[in-house]
Amino acid sequence: AVTSEVRVVRSAGITSSSVNGFRIQGIEGCDEHYEELADAEERCLEELAAATRHHARRAGTSSGDVKIRIDTEIARTAEGSELFIRRNYEAEVIGPPDLAVQVISE
C-alpha cells in the first residue's frame, strides 16, 4: 500500500493600507479595502482555507483538515506604542492520497 502523504501549503497576509484600513494579499479576488482588521481576517481565513482544500484535492487528497499558523508583525513607534505592520497566515493540508496502490506479491 502507498504510505506517502499529500502536503499542500498556501499563504496569505493582511497589511495596513494607506487609507487607514486593511488589505488582504495573496488570495485572488480578495482585493477589497477593510476598515476593521477582524473583518479582513475573517474573510482571509475563509478564503485561504477554501483555496488550500481546493489545491489539496487537485493534488490528490480529499482530506479537509486545514491547519493555519498566524504570525503578526508589530513595530514600536518612538513613543512606544504598537503599530500593526502585517499578519501572515500559512495554511496546510496533509492527508493520504485518495488512490492507494496495492502491490500483490506471489
Side-chain angles (χ1 to χ4, degrees):
V2 173
T3 58
S4 65
E5 292 181 320
V6 174
R7 179 176 183 258
V8 173
V9 177
R10 307 289 296 173
S11 58
I14 296 175
T15 60
S16 57
S17 70
S18 60
V19 289
N20 294 328
F22 303 92
R23 291 209 177 266
I24 298 172
Q25 296 180 331
I27 299 176
E28 191 173 322
C30 289
D31 52 3
E32 299 95 11
H33 171 82
Y34 297 88
E35 291 185 22
E36 300 294 327
L37 177 59
D39 294 335
E41 183 167 63
E42 180 179 351
R43 174 82 188 275
C44 183
L45 290 170
E46 288 172 5
E47 296 294 330
L48 181 59
T52 306
R53 282 188 198 98
H54 172 75
H55 285 278
R57 282 191 302 277
R58 291 188 64 194
T61 185
S62 56
S63 176
D65 184 27
V66 179
K67 292 184 173 61
I68 299 178
R69 285 181 287 287
I70 301 171
D71 178 48
T72 303
E73 297 176 27
I74 302 286
R76 294 233 180 249
T77 65
E79 296 81 29
S81 60
E82 291 184 346
L83 179 64
F84 175 86
I85 303 295
R86 180 177 173 89
R87 186 165 287 164
N88 300 301
Y89 303 87
E90 184 178 84
E92 178 181 58
V93 170
I94 299 175
D98 289 339
L99 296 175
V101 178
Q102 287 190 329
V103 177
I104 301 173
S105 58
E106 297 182 30

